[in-house]
Amino acid sequence: MATARSTEDIDRQRGSLGAAAIGTVGSGSASTLPSHVNAAPAVVAVFETLKVRRESAVLFADIAAPPMNLLGPALVRDLVSLIQQAEADSDLKVLVFRSADPDYFISHVDVNKIKEYRQEAAKLVGEASIALLFRHLSASRLVTIAQIEGRVRAAGSEFVLACDMRFAARETAIFAQPEPAFGAVPGGGGVQHLTRLMGRGRALEVMLSAQDYNADLAERYGWINRALPADALGEFVSSLAHRIAKFPAGSLAAVKDRVNAIALAPVEDFRRDSDLFGEGARNPEGQSRLQAAFKRGFQTRDAEMDLAGLLGALD
Amino acid sequence: MATARSTEDIDRQRGSLGAAAIGTVGSGSASTLPSHVNAAPAVVAVFETLKVRRESAVLFADIAAPPMNLLGPALVRDLVSLIQQAEADSDLKVLVFRSADPDYFISHVDVNKIKEYRQEAAKLVGEASIALLFRHLSASRLVTIAQIEGRVRAAGSEFVLACDMRFAARETAIFAQPEPAFGAVPGGGGVQHLTRLMGRGRALEVMLSAQDYNADLAERYGWINRALPADALGEFVSSLAHRIAKFPAGSLAAVKDRVNAIALAPVEDFRRDSDLFGEGARNPEGQSRLQAAFKRGFQTRDAEMDLAGLLGALD
Amino acid sequence: MATARSTEDIDRQRGSLGAAAIGTVGSGSASTLPSHVNAAPAVVAVFETLKVRRESAVLFADIAAPPMNLLGPALVRDLVSLIQQAEADSDLKVLVFRSADPDYFISHVDVNKIKEYRQEAAKLVGEASIALLFRHLSASRLVTIAQIEGRVRAAGSEFVLACDMRFAARETAIFAQPEPAFGAVPGGGGVQHLTRLMGRGRALEVMLSAQDYNADLAERYGWINRALPADALGEFVSSLAHRIAKFPAGSLAAVKDRVNAIALAPVEDFRRDSDLFGEGARNPEGQSRLQAAFKRGFQTRDAEMDLAGLLGALD
């Protein structure tokens, strides 16, 4: 827990759960952080696609995978490392995910690297599926909070749905679960979470329409806990995270267990959705629509600012 | 798929799934419809109680059973025909239900013809139960949208709950699930859907109070997807239907399957509610209240404009 | 059903379900009550911690356990008596719970008398658990409505969650489920109800944050049916209660049964939560936090006006 490490260090020791790579830093703004319960020093870890800062029992991880925070092999690899290290650190209680990009939190998976990012997920969960990686996070003893600014679509939506709580910037957050537009079923748990959170009718609307939803409507539908003004969001989430982090770890984990027993779908349902996504991604009609989308700029930062419009314009 | 047919034609071939009776028309307003993805000609079918118009892969069915859109044998017969023909037409993806009566979408069942309308339902689902007919619609590969203006009470509410999505006119839509006022349990799936959509407390309130709910409150309770201004509703629903209809049929059906596996109650629960409704309808106290309601105008268009008031005035 | 009884009378015959102790009163404001369906006289029962008034088939029970409506042995004893007598009275259909204290509906359990109040619950449900007592109420044929003014926290929240419906005063009602702040899992059904009513994310937020929630947010989250202006709440609830009480008892019970089959958790889940609460209450870290809270005024009327602040200030 003592020293900062390079990305290569982390690469080398990946899989070694015991060796914590979230080290302290002794200078810069981190040193001015408020000290909390455990009086732990401000800490930071080095990942290629995550900027991590620790404050006491809370870890803030900012997703930084330019140009548009695609969920590809690098980001999945780093998420796996982060989760492993965080779970191995018994002093850590709360994990806050944020974005370093104001327009994209997680755009969606890199559809050209499905096999590769799935293999990274397998390193934690033993199966090549981000559905199971996300479910692992939901089942973790760690309390996870998503602070959402910018776009979360498809696997991006599913990642925040896997977190324990979701708070979004009213002015900037945009949500979509648009896989059916490409002939696929959401494969990372979206079906499981959305149906339970918002009920049959709204879940079907959200997925079958492949539309963009703003934060206010996402709140009304139960997609997120609450929409907050962008300029109040960071302080709200930080304050909530530190409040939770003061409470006994055992009761946090026990409450999560009891809630998950009711509301977290079984592994086999996540696995089935993941398999269906894979089948859908190989479907000819879906492939054809995907190619048409690429011609219009799919998986580019500018074109996906209005992905809902792009999808609606496909023939 | 080529020619318009008379109601008698449709009567004659009912049950023959393969023979599509939703034919094209070559004149009138239908010919001015916009052409969509498949460039299919505008089409129309002739039913006694449904006005049907096709636009590409979307079918609009307007309920027109004067004087108050009661769900009796004729309307159930026509719904059965429509569903059979629509499911047999592999080019069709989305079914939109609307009302030709601004005050009533579906008022409720004709309580004097329970046996008769149940027999019509049996022609599709093999059992004399509209609960199973409605569940059939929910489980269909077709995507169904209810565009609600006017009153949907009892089986009317249950019909729109069986649809995949519900959008309602803020100024005119009225919802109720009032069977307990007559000694009965909602028999067409209302208990199953309302409890899952709005939770135990609100579902109990709605059913036990037998009150009318406006569209805004119905939205807050999760009864419908959204309340929209009446003058924007039609365009919103049409646009949504056509958007969905462009997406691959396979993924639409697959998403429905996965959502239904979570949120659509098992057949036996619908059957049980249906049986309980039948028992309740024969209960002496309920019968006595029903007769008192008839004296106050139950099952007449004018008196049911304020059915909640009528029910509250019964001793 | 004819005469008023003293508290001692009630004490003497407690456990004797057949002997109704909710007697009529012949004078005072009660005599001016409106007469309803059954033209039953206004009635009142005498309990140490409940003020009870009957209007026709509706019983209003005001919780009056100064100084702060703690759920201790006396209140549990009286609730058990009330439920037993009300269930034994076949003319009674609706039970409305209110508070005689504008600031506290039920604050929470008396943590110094866990064993004692649990033993009172055992007298009705055979097990020393208020979770099972509350579940008994949910499963009862009686329709229960909570009219909430003031604070409902922990077991207070769980009591109103066990009621069939919850309406709260917008200006004064405050909700919390803060057991995790003391190292415990909510033990009276809070996990079961909140997770089903508001979904995984909001239920986790509410419990893990141990925060206070006002009535508007509680409505948005589904904790309650509706928030209403304080000056309209009483009339709204009374009118709703009397409306429901006119409907056939058989259908009220049948609807409850069907809804409970979907949304009321099994006995074993309530029992498990109850056991976990007991374990958490004996946990050293939780005990230490509880002692710290007592030093700041826990279980005193003034200090708990801002219990959320008190909990946040604990180290």
Side-chain angles (χ1 to χ4, degrees):
Chain A
M1 287 297 305
T3 55
R5 300 186 181 212
S6 69
T7 309
E8 298 86 74
D9 285 338
I10 292 168
D11 277 341
R12 231 174 292 129
Q13 58 94 60
R14 191 172 302 125
S16 143
L17 274 175
I22 306 172
T24 57
V25 289
S27 64
S29 63
S31 66
T32 65
L33 293 173
S35 63
H36 288 87
V37 181
N38 299 322
V43 289
V44 73
V46 182
F47 297 95
E48 184 186 336
T49 63
L50 295 172
K51 293 181 182 166
V52 176
R53 193 179 72 178
R54 181 165 179 172
E55 294 176 16
S56 188
V58 180
L59 198 70
F60 295 86
D62 294 355
I63 301 166
M68 60 187 296
N69 283 0
L70 273 177
L71 191 74
L75 181 50
V76 174
R77 177 201 65 204
D78 290 350
L79 286 170
V80 164
S81 283
L82 177 74
I83 294 168
Q84 287 178 323
Q85 294 169 29
E87 291 188 328
D89 181 348
S90 61
D91 292 333
L92 199 64
K93 295 182 185 174
V94 181
L95 207 45
V96 177
F97 290 101
R98 306 181 299 198
S99 175
D101 183 329
D103 293 320
Y104 291 92
F105 182 97
I106 293 179
S107 47
H108 52 74
V109 299
D110 184 339
V111 299
N112 293 319
K113 297 183 181 167
I114 294 178
K115 189 176 171 186
E116 291 86 344
Y117 73 68
R118 283 186 162 192
Q119 285 173 339
E120 293 298 330
K123 291 175 185 170
L124 180 63
V125 294
E127 294 184 47
S129 160
I130 55 165
L132 297 189
L133 173 62
F134 291 174
R135 193 185 183 283
H136 175 100
L137 196 62
S138 302
S140 168
R141 68 160 183 86
L142 294 169
V143 176
T144 51
I145 307 177
Q147 175 183 324
I148 306 164
E149 293 167 279
R151 287 150 187 77
V152 279
R153 295 195 184 108
S157 160
E158 291 170 314
F159 176 78
V160 299
L161 286 166
C163 290
D164 297 329
M165 306 169 208
R166 290 161 289 290
F167 301 93
R170 180 166 290 135
E171 299 88 342
T172 70
I174 291 176
F175 300 79
Q177 199 72 53
E179 290 86 339
F182 295 116
V185 167
V191 174
Q192 303 304 321
H193 287 294
L194 291 175
T195 305
R196 286 169 173 84
L197 286 172
M198 55 177 75
R200 185 178 181 274
R202 288 170 172 168
L204 285 172
E205 175 203 326
V206 158
M207 291 187 274
L208 299 183
S209 75
Q211 267 291 3
D212 280 348
Y213 288 74
N214 65 29
D216 278 327
L217 191 50
E219 177 186 313
R220 279 156 60 197
Y221 274 25
W223 206 326
I224 56 175
N225 290 46
R226 268 185 264 180
L228 293 163
D231 61 11
L233 180 64
E235 174 53 28
F236 174 87
V237 168
S238 175
S239 169
L240 173 63
H242 281 293
R243 180 177 175 92
I244 294 173
K246 287 174 151 187
F247 301 151
S251 57
L252 301 180
V255 167
K256 282 198 61 174
D257 279 351
R258 296 301 289 157
V259 170
N260 284 340
I262 300 163
L264 183 60
V267 167
E268 49 267 33
D269 288 321
F270 281 82
R271 189 184 288 130
R272 177 73 182 133
D273 289 347
S274 183
D275 291 346
L276 285 171
F277 174 81
E279 292 171 21
R282 291 186 296 271
N283 171 281
E285 187 178 1
Q287 277 295 324
S288 154
R289 290 182 60 82
L290 198 55
Q291 295 315 314
F294 269 113
K295 284 182 191 149
R296 289 175 180 267
F298 184 66
Q299 284 206 177
T300 66
R301 183 183 176 82
D302 282 357
E304 289 204 11
M305 293 297 282
D306 178 24
L307 180 61
L310 188 159
L311 295 177
L314 296 179
D315 280 329
Chain B
M1 289 295 307
T3 54
R5 301 186 181 212
S6 67
T7 309
E8 298 85 75
D9 285 338
I10 292 169
D11 278 340
R12 230 176 291 130
Q13 58 95 60
R14 192 173 301 127
S16 144
L17 274 175
I22 307 171
T24 57
V25 290
S27 62
S29 64
S31 66
T32 63
L33 293 173
S35 63
H36 287 88
V37 181
N38 299 322
V43 289
V44 73
V46 181
F47 297 95
E48 184 186 338
T49 63
L50 296 171
K51 293 180 183 167
V52 176
R53 192 178 73 176
R54 181 166 179 171
E55 294 175 16
S56 187
V58 180
L59 198 70
F60 295 86
D62 294 356
I63 300 165
M68 60 187 295
N69 284 359
L70 273 177
L71 191 75
L75 180 50
V76 174
R77 176 200 66 203
D78 290 350
L79 286 170
V80 163
S81 283
L82 177 75
I83 294 168
Q84 287 179 324
Q85 294 168 30
E87 291 189 326
D89 181 348
S90 60
D91 291 334
L92 199 63
K93 295 182 186 174
V94 181
L95 208 44
V96 177
F97 291 101
R98 305 182 299 199
S99 176
D101 182 332
D103 293 321
Y104 290 92
F105 183 97
I106 293 179
S107 46
H108 52 73
V109 298
D110 184 339
V111 298
N112 293 318
K113 297 183 180 167
I114 294 178
K115 190 176 172 188
E116 291 85 343
Y117 73 68
R118 283 186 161 192
Q119 285 173 339
E120 294 297 329
K123 291 175 185 170
L124 180 64
V125 294
E127 293 184 47
S129 161
I130 55 166
L132 297 188
L133 173 62
F134 291 174
R135 193 186 184 282
H136 175 100
L137 195 63
S138 302
S140 169
R141 67 159 184 86
L142 294 169
V143 176
T144 51
I145 308 178
Q147 174 184 322
I148 306 164
E149 293 166 279
R151 286 150 186 78
V152 281
R153 296 195 183 109
S157 160
E158 292 171 314
F159 177 79
V160 300
L161 286 167
C163 291
D164 297 329
M165 306 167 208
R166 290 161 291 288
F167 301 94
R170 180 166 291 137
E171 299 87 342
T172 70
I174 291 176
F175 300 79
Q177 199 72 55
E179 290 87 339
F182 295 116
V185 168
V191 174
Q192 302 304 319
H193 287 295
L194 291 175
T195 305
R196 286 169 173 83
L197 286 172
M198 54 178 76
R200 184 177 182 275
R202 288 168 173 169
L204 284 172
E205 175 203 326
V206 158
M207 292 187 274
L208 299 183
S209 76
Q211 267 291 3
D212 280 348
Y213 288 74
N214 67 27
D216 278 327
L217 190 51
E219 177 186 313
R220 280 156 60 196
Y221 274 27
W223 206 327
I224 57 173
N225 289 48
R226 267 184 264 180
L228 292 163
D231 62 10
L233 179 65
E235 175 53 28
F236 175 87
V237 168
S238 175
S239 169
L240 173 64
H242 281 294
R243 180 177 175 92
I244 293 173
K246 286 174 150 187
F247 301 150
S251 57
L252 301 180
V255 168
K256 283 199 59 174
D257 279 351
R258 296 301 289 156
V259 170
N260 284 341
I262 300 164
L264 183 60
V267 168
E268 50 266 33
D269 288 322
F270 281 83
R271 188 182 290 130
R272 176 74 182 133
D273 289 347
S274 184
D275 291 346
L276 285 172
F277 174 81
E279 292 171 22
R282 292 186 296 271
N283 170 280
E285 187 178 1
Q287 276 295 324
S288 154
R289 291 181 60 82
L290 198 56
Q291 295 316 314
F294 269 112
K295 285 182 191 151
R296 289 176 180 267
F298 184 64
Q299 285 207 177
T300 66
R301 183 182 176 82
D302 282 357
E304 289 204 12
M305 293 297 282
D306 178 24
L307 180 61
L310 188 159
L311 295 176
L314 297 179
D315 281 330
Chain C
M1 289 297 308
T3 55
R5 300 185 183 213
S6 68
T7 308
E8 298 86 74
D9 285 339
I10 292 169
D11 277 339
R12 228 175 293 129
Q13 58 95 60
R14 191 172 299 126
S16 143
L17 274 174
I22 306 172
T24 56
V25 289
S27 63
S29 63
S31 66
T32 64
L33 292 173
S35 63
H36 288 89
V37 182
N38 298 322
V43 292
V44 73
V46 182
F47 297 94
E48 182 186 338
T49 63
L50 296 171
K51 293 181 183 167
V52 175
R53 192 179 73 177
R54 181 166 179 172
E55 295 176 15
S56 187
V58 180
L59 199 70
F60 295 86
D62 294 355
I63 301 165
M68 60 186 297
N69 283 0
L70 273 178
L71 191 74
L75 181 50
V76 174
R77 176 201 64 203
D78 290 350
L79 286 170
V80 164
S81 283
L82 177 75
I83 295 168
Q84 287 178 324
Q85 294 169 29
E87 291 189 327
D89 180 348
S90 60
D91 292 332
L92 199 63
K93 296 183 184 173
V94 182
L95 208 44
V96 177
F97 290 101
R98 305 182 299 198
S99 175
D101 182 331
D103 294 320
Y104 291 91
F105 183 96
I106 292 179
S107 47
H108 52 73
V109 300
D110 183 339
V111 298
N112 293 318
K113 297 183 180 167
I114 295 179
K115 189 176 173 188
E116 291 85 344
Y117 72 70
R118 283 185 162 192
Q119 284 172 340
E120 294 297 330
K123 291 174 184 169
L124 180 64
V125 295
E127 293 184 48
S129 160
I130 55 165
L132 297 189
L133 172 63
F134 291 174
R135 192 185 184 283
H136 175 100
L137 195 63
S138 303
S140 169
R141 68 160 183 87
L142 294 169
V143 175
T144 51
I145 307 178
Q147 174 182 323
I148 307 164
E149 293 166 279
R151 286 150 187 77
V152 280
R153 295 196 183 107
S157 161
E158 292 170 315
F159 176 80
V160 299
L161 287 166
C163 290
D164 297 330
M165 307 169 208
R166 290 161 290 289
F167 301 93
R170 180 165 290 135
E171 299 87 342
T172 69
I174 290 176
F175 301 80
Q177 199 71 55
E179 290 87 339
F182 294 116
V185 167
V191 174
Q192 303 304 321
H193 287 294
L194 291 175
T195 305
R196 285 169 173 84
L197 286 172
M198 56 177 75
R200 184 178 182 275
R202 287 169 173 169
L204 285 172
E205 175 203 327
V206 158
M207 291 186 275
L208 300 183
S209 75
Q211 267 291 2
D212 279 348
Y213 289 73
N214 66 28
D216 279 327
L217 191 51
E219 176 186 314
R220 280 157 60 197
Y221 274 25
W223 206 327
I224 57 173
N225 290 48
R226 269 185 263 179
L228 292 163
D231 61 12
L233 179 65
E235 175 52 30
F236 174 87
V237 168
S238 175
S239 169
L240 173 64
H242 282 294
R243 180 178 175 92
I244 294 173
K246 287 174 151 187
F247 301 151
S251 57
L252 302 180
V255 168
K256 282 199 60 173
D257 278 352
R258 296 302 289 156
V259 170
N260 284 341
I262 300 164
L264 183 61
V267 167
E268 50 266 34
D269 288 322
F270 281 82
R271 188 183 290 130
R272 176 75 181 130
D273 289 347
S274 183
D275 291 346
L276 285 171
F277 174 81
E279 292 171 21
R282 292 186 295 271
N283 171 281
E285 187 177 1
Q287 277 294 325
S288 153
R289 290 182 60 83
L290 198 56
Q291 296 317 314
F294 269 113
K295 285 182 191 151
R296 289 176 180 267
F298 184 65
Q299 287 206 176
T300 65
R301 183 181 175 83
D302 282 357
E304 289 205 11
M305 294 297 282
D306 178 24
L307 180 61
L310 188 160
L311 295 177
L314 297 179
D315 280 330

